């Protein structure tokens, strides 16, 4: 049964209380990483109307309350933001002519020019996101919608027994009520001992809001991939072509048999603290593995060999590109922990293996 299930790809559309699942037969590798599509626009409109009636979220916090809270902040914004690493840009080869997963649009390999830019050295952490929400009162989409996708292997028996609908064709993903960035495995979980781990359950929109607050922005897919490659040409991983040089783990991935047995040979069954694995030669951590990372670009699988300057992806679309794979990726079903690999989700999707890092422009 389990094996059959891997060969099925699905599109999950969550609207008010209806879940529709569309299944198509696709290669086994395509399962698991990119299946969380949610269409929540209607819900959002409804909530916005309700909020308008109440006067909006920001109007609920008077100025004196804001400054009171600001004084108690254990960190200030400048100290909390990640170190930016300068990427010098120039020409590089994006994508690959030897795609691990051709239908993801990994190819063809093409020459891309990038102007210099900055990128954060690690994924945005729970601590950083907490400061952002403390100051801005930003409510994530998972909090607004009241649920988010959690990998079932991480759920307590109690939460599992309360699940109303598991996703039939990908039983390891469950929409869990009350799961959000503060409670990554649902209401009975917390991030207290994970403040230096990457924040989870943030939608593209949430990630965008954080970067904007930080005076930064999300990287384009090209910028993310340039950063991932660390100056190496035509290599699979940020450190080269060998997954485990000298027998060492270079990224937080899945070892064992997905989805039932994670040996955690790399030390982690779930996320790891950022910067726990070696940096690439650019000084960037966890570019592959740990959590998937949102990029600014809309998704398309159609690329040409044309040389491009600072490409920003399609003008519009329905899904955003995410890069790098996660602690749930194993070669058997999700060979996406490579720099050229890519996947997609709708901008309002959130899950227990998806986060982000910001980029920034050079001062003019
Ligand atoms: C956010 O606010 C809470 C409650 O006041 C506080 O305990 C926490 O330390 C703050 N977080 C940061 C990162 O400043
Ligand atoms: Ca691991
Ligand atoms: Ca990552």
């Amino acid at each position: 049964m389990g094996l059959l299930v891997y060969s099925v790809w699905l599109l999950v559309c969550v609207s008010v209380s209806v879940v529709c699942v569309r299944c198509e037969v696709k290669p086994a590798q395509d399962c698991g990483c990119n299946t969380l599509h949610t269409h929540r626009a209607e819900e959002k409109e409804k909530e916005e109307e309700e909020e308008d009636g109440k006067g909006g979220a920001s109007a609920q916090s008077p100025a004196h309350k804001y400054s009171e809270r600001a004084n108690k902040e254990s960190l200030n914004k400048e100290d909390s933001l990640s170190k930016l690493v300068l990427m010098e840009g120039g020409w590089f080869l994006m994508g690959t002519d030897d795609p691990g997963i051709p239908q993801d649009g990994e190819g063809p390999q093409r020459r891309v020019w990038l102007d210099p830019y900055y990128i954060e050295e690690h994924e945005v952490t729970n601590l950083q996101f907490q400061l952002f929400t403390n100051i801005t009162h930003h409510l994530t989409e998972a909090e607004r919608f009241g649920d988010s996708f959690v990998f079932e292997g991480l759920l307590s028996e109690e939460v599992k027994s309360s699940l109303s609908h598991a996703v039939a064709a990908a039983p390891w993903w469950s929409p869990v009520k009350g799961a959000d960035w503060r409670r990554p495995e649902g209401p009975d979980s917390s991030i207290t001992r994970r403040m230096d781990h990457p924040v989870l359950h943030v939608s593209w929109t949430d990630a965008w809001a954080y970067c904007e607050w930080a005076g930064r922005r999300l990287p384009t897919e090209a910028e993310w991939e340039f950063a991932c490659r660390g100056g190496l040409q035509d290599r699979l991983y940020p450190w080269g072509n060998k997954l485990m040089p000298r027998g060492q783990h270079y990224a937080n991935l899945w070892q064992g048999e997905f989805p039932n047995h994670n040996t955690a040979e790399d030390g982690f069954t779930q996320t790891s603290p950022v910067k726990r694995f070696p940096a690439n030669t650019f000084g960037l951590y966890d570019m592959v593995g740990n959590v998937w990372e949102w990029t600014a670009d809309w998704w398309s699988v159609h690329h040409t060999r044309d040389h491009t300057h600072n490409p920003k992806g399609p003008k519009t679309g329905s899904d955003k590109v995410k890069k790098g794979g996660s602690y749930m990726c194993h070669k058997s079903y999700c060979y996406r922990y490579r720099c050229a690999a890519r996947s997609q989700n709708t901008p309002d999707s959130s899950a227990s293996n998806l986060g982000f890092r910001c980029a920034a422009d050079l001062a003019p």
Side-chain angles (χ1 to χ4, degrees):
M1 158 96 185
L3 276 175
L4 262 180
V5 147
Y6 301 163
S7 62
V8 167
W9 177 83
L10 79 163
L11 187 67
V12 185
C13 335
V14 182
S15 60
V16 182
S17 61
V18 185
V19 178
C20 57
V21 178
R22 195 187 74 186
C23 300
E24 280 175 24
V25 177
K26 278 224 181 176
Q29 278 169 325
D30 213 43
C31 257
C33 286
N34 63 342
T35 54
L36 309 175
H37 296 244
T38 59
H39 298 289
R40 290 159 147 173
E42 282 171 31
E43 264 175 280
K44 205 182 290 183
E45 263 170 35
K46 231 174 65 188
E47 279 169 26
E48 268 158 17
E49 276 166 26
E50 279 164 22
E51 245 172 44
D52 284 349
K54 288 190 302 213
S58 53
Q60 291 167 356
S61 34
H64 71 271
K65 230 175 153 184
Y66 171 89
S67 60
E68 221 175 73
R69 198 174 284 116
N71 287 338
K72 276 195 239 142
E73 231 78 85
S74 52
L75 267 175
N76 72 46
K77 178 174 167 180
E78 271 60 46
D79 293 342
S80 110
L81 296 180
S82 297
K83 187 180 146 196
L84 288 171
V85 182
L86 176 66
M87 299 290 107
E88 287 178 359
W91 287 107
F92 84 109
L93 291 173
M94 182 169 174
T96 173
D97 285 333
D98 185 17
I101 306 176
Q103 67 273 23
D104 281 354
E106 295 179 9
Q109 192 176 64
R110 52 219 183 261
R111 275 170 76 75
V112 166
W113 171 273
L114 290 180
D115 293 336
Y117 62 101
Y118 291 107
I119 194 159
E120 291 182 349
E121 70 168 352
H122 60 76
E123 297 150 337
V124 171
T125 64
N126 283 321
L127 187 70
Q128 293 174 313
F129 201 80
Q130 188 184 60
L131 183 71
F132 159 65
T133 61
N134 278 4
I135 293 175
T136 63
H137 308 293
H138 177 88
L139 208 55
T140 60
E141 294 199 277
E143 289 168 285
R144 294 166 55 115
F145 300 130
D147 64 25
S148 189
F149 282 97
V150 182
F151 172 52
E152 210 176 291
L154 304 177
L155 294 175
S156 67
E157 288 307 320
E158 203 176 329
V159 171
K160 262 190 233 174
S161 65
S162 73
L163 291 176
S164 49
H165 43 239
V167 180
W172 54 86
W173 281 118
S174 300
V176 172
K177 279 202 170 53
D180 57 44
W181 71 274
R182 292 174 222 268
R183 290 162 291 263
E185 295 84 36
D188 59 357
S189 63
S190 102
I191 52 170
T192 314
R193 283 185 294 278
R194 290 182 270 178
M195 296 311 284
D196 57 350
H197 288 226
V199 64
L200 304 173
H201 299 292
V202 282
S203 68
W204 184 91
T205 314
D206 299 326
W208 183 264
Y210 174 95
C211 292
E212 190 169 56
W213 167 78
R216 301 177 179 179
R217 59 179 174 76
L218 283 173
T220 63
E221 181 181 6
E223 287 172 337
W224 192 98
E225 188 167 325
F226 178 93
C228 182
R229 292 183 177 281
L232 300 174
Q233 195 167 306
D234 237 344
R235 295 293 193 278
L236 294 171
Y237 311 117
W239 56 87
N241 273 337
K242 224 178 143 194
L243 182 60
M244 292 180 59
R246 294 172 305 280
Q248 299 297 301
H249 288 282
Y250 275 64
N252 182 5
L253 304 172
W254 181 292
Q255 297 87 37
E257 220 169 289
F258 187 86
N260 295 319
H261 187 53
N262 187 344
T263 65
E265 198 188 273
D266 60 18
F268 301 93
T269 48
Q270 308 185 38
T271 55
S272 41
V274 298
K275 301 171 73 167
R276 187 54 65 91
F277 292 84
N280 70 5
T281 49
F282 287 164
L284 304 172
Y285 295 86
D286 302 299
M287 290 303 293
V288 300
N290 214 11
V291 288
W292 280 101
E293 299 174 27
W294 289 112
T295 73
D297 297 16
W298 290 110
W299 171 262
S300 159
V301 294
H302 305 294
H303 306 110
T304 67
R305 284 192 197 278
D306 296 349
H307 298 181
T308 52
H309 283 72
N310 305 308
K312 293 182 162 52
K315 288 221 156 47
T316 58
S318 56
D319 286 3
K320 289 290 184 178
V321 177
K322 61 179 184 180
K323 297 281 278 185
S326 80
Y327 66 90
M328 286 176 60
C329 278
H330 182 272
K331 190 165 183 180
S332 66
Y333 87 108
C334 172
Y335 183 36
R336 291 195 176 85
Y337 40 88
R338 294 169 290 112
C339 293
R342 51 209 300 277
S343 190
Q344 89 272 29
N345 282 114
T346 58
D348 60 2
S349 303
S350 59
S352 59
N353 66 347
L354 177 50
F356 69 104
R357 80 180 70 206
C358 309
D361 293 317
L362 266 57

